[in-house]
Amino acid sequence: MSPYPADLEAWRRAGRIAGEARELGLRLARPGVLRRELADQIEAYIRGHGAEPAFPTNLSRNWEAAHYTPSDTDEVALAAGDLLKVDVGAHIHGAIADTAATVEVGETHQHDRLVRAVREALEAGIRAVRPNGAVDEVSRAIERAVHAQGFKPVVDLTGHSIEPYLLHAGKSIPSVGGYSTASLREGEVVAIEPFVTNGEGHIEDGPFGNIVRFRADPGNRDPALARAFARFRTLPFTTRWVTDPAERAALKGARRLLQTYPVFVETGRGWVAQAEHTILVGPSGAEVLTAV
Ligand code: MN
Ligand code: MN
């Protein structure tokens, strides 16, 4: 039996759409732009090209590393000097792509080295991918590239394997060597995502970042809740996407059924840059699915 996903073309298509949506986000991230509108435009692009967002667009800034998405009432505008992580997911019937890049808003050029370091770390990690190769080889390549630029990898945030409808599917890809004994299997889909900082290299939980996820199927007791589950399954979502008042009310009353995500904040309030591609482990190395 082939080790590759049967719907491999859907994974490739989702990857291309997510990559294009990421690049759109980077281009649109200018001073004065509302971050809610930026997220809406990225997600509209994904929907307009035959995919669905796999999670709410993460627009974490500065010492926020991840897991912030604007709420539907967010009126905050991007400012010159913001170090913005545009982290985008697209899926086609559960074939998921997850990709991110970092942009310094307004071309103030205070963090060029940090942004370059994370990009080089991602490339080094991707080059280290081999079928049956050790995850630790990838981790060590990332760590070496980050240290070569004089920064720290964020130890607590890792890449991850991806399975249908499951964004974080159990295998972690650390950005530091010595943590993983797993190996990569041909046909596997994996997100590689170093985070790099000039802070302490760790994160802590910040406030709620407007992202939730169903822990399990709520069943049919509440029709509005069942509709919401039919739409999002167990993928992360945000109430910014829920316009139906009955579904909104049902979700509000169902907090126990929902996992909530805090924003991850760098413990030393260091600046954080992220770069991420979803790759397929091919016969001789990585096929980058989220390249454009
Ligand atoms: Mn990811
Ligand atoms: Mn991501």
Side-chain angles (χ1 to χ4, degrees), residues 113-128 136-154 174-177 192 194-197 275:
R113 284 181 51 238
L114 193 68
V115 172
R116 194 179 331 123
V118 80
R119 211 182 292 144
E120 287 176 4
L122 173 59
E123 285 166 11
I126 289 171
R127 278 196 303 271
D136 201 47
E137 290 295 322
V138 178
S139 301
R140 287 182 192 282
I142 291 170
E143 184 179 14
R144 267 197 306 274
V146 176
H147 285 157
Q149 299 294 329
F151 296 111
K152 290 178 184 165
V154 176
S175 296
V176 184
I192 300 179
F195 290 76
V196 171
T197 184

Side-chain angles (χ1 to χ4, degrees), residues 55 87-88 98-100 160 193 274 276:
F55 52 83
D87 192 342
V88 170
D98 180 7
T99 182
H160 47 95
E193 56 174 315
Q274 174 202 18
E276 178 176 26

Side-chain angles (χ1 to χ4, degrees), residues 109-190:
H109 297 293
Q110 296 302 297
H111 299 287
D112 287 351
R113 284 181 51 238
L114 193 68
V115 172
R116 194 179 331 123
V118 80
R119 211 182 292 144
E120 287 176 4
L122 173 59
E123 285 166 11
I126 289 171
R127 278 196 303 271
V129 169
R130 296 284 179 279
N132 304 314
V135 168
D136 201 47
E137 290 295 322
V138 178
S139 301
R140 287 182 192 282
I142 291 170
E143 184 179 14
R144 267 197 306 274
V146 176
H147 285 157
Q149 299 294 329
F151 296 111
K152 290 178 184 165
V154 176
V155 176
D156 324 89
L157 296 175
T158 69
H160 47 95
S161 54
I162 301 177
E163 288 173 13
Y165 286 107
L166 204 53
L167 182 58
H168 291 179
K171 192 177 289 181
S172 294
I173 319 291
S175 296
V176 184
Y179 282 86
S180 176
T181 56
S183 55
L184 296 167
R185 153 180 85 63
E186 187 174 350
E188 195 167 32
V189 176
V190 173

Side-chain angles (χ1 to χ4, degrees), residues 15-274:
R16 197 162 52 241
I17 293 165
E20 288 165 1
R22 177 197 68 225
E23 295 304 306
L24 174 71
L26 296 175
R27 278 199 304 279
L28 294 176
R30 300 276 167 81
V33 170
L34 296 186
R35 51 188 183 178
R36 173 176 45 77
E37 292 179 349
L38 180 57
D40 284 345
Q41 288 188 66
I42 290 168
E43 292 154 6
Y45 182 92
I46 293 169
R47 295 191 177 102
H49 287 77
E52 285 292 320
F55 52 83
T57 300
N58 283 215
L59 295 175
S60 312
R61 295 189 297 176
N62 306 341
W63 41 88
E64 298 169 350
H67 290 179
Y68 180 82
T69 200
S71 73
D72 55 340
T73 56
D74 190 303
E75 296 300 326
V76 174
L78 298 176
D82 278 347
L83 193 61
L84 182 73
K85 275 73 69 180
V86 177
D87 192 342
V88 170
H91 82 94
I92 296 173
H93 302 304
I96 301 172
D98 180 7
T99 182
T102 300
V103 60
E104 187 173 332
V105 177
E107 297 180 39
T108 42
H109 297 293
Q110 296 302 297
H111 299 287
D112 287 351
R113 284 181 51 238
L114 193 68
V115 172
R116 194 179 331 123
V118 80
R119 211 182 292 144
E120 287 176 4
L122 173 59
E123 285 166 11
I126 289 171
R127 278 196 303 271
V129 169
R130 296 284 179 279
N132 304 314
V135 168
D136 201 47
E137 290 295 322
V138 178
S139 301
R140 287 182 192 282
I142 291 170
E143 184 179 14
R144 267 197 306 274
V146 176
H147 285 157
Q149 299 294 329
F151 296 111
K152 290 178 184 165
V154 176
V155 176
D156 324 89
L157 296 175
T158 69
H160 47 95
S161 54
I162 301 177
E163 288 173 13
Y165 286 107
L166 204 53
L167 182 58
H168 291 179
K171 192 177 289 181
S172 294
I173 319 291
S175 296
V176 184
Y179 282 86
S180 176
T181 56
S183 55
L184 296 167
R185 153 180 85 63
E186 187 174 350
E188 195 167 32
V189 176
V190 173
I192 300 179
E193 56 174 315
F195 290 76
V196 171
T197 184
N198 60 2
E200 293 175 351
H202 290 278
I203 48 116
E204 60 192 17
D205 288 353
F208 176 53
N210 306 309
I211 300 172
V212 298
R213 186 179 82 91
F214 278 103
R215 294 178 190 280
D217 187 339
N220 292 320
R221 279 170 300 135
D222 182 332
L225 213 53
R227 281 201 305 277
F229 182 77
R231 185 168 160 208
F232 303 123
R233 311 278 294 255
T234 51
L235 290 172
F237 68 100
T238 178
T239 48
R240 182 162 49 77
W241 294 349
V242 182
T243 49
D244 176 61
E247 287 181 30
R248 277 192 165 233
L251 287 167
K252 219 168 224 166
R255 282 285 153 84
R256 266 183 322 111
L257 299 171
L258 300 174
Q259 178 184 350
T260 60
Y261 293 85
V263 178
F264 290 146
V265 180
E266 214 282 327
T267 51
R269 302 299 181 264
W271 296 80
V272 179
Q274 174 202 18

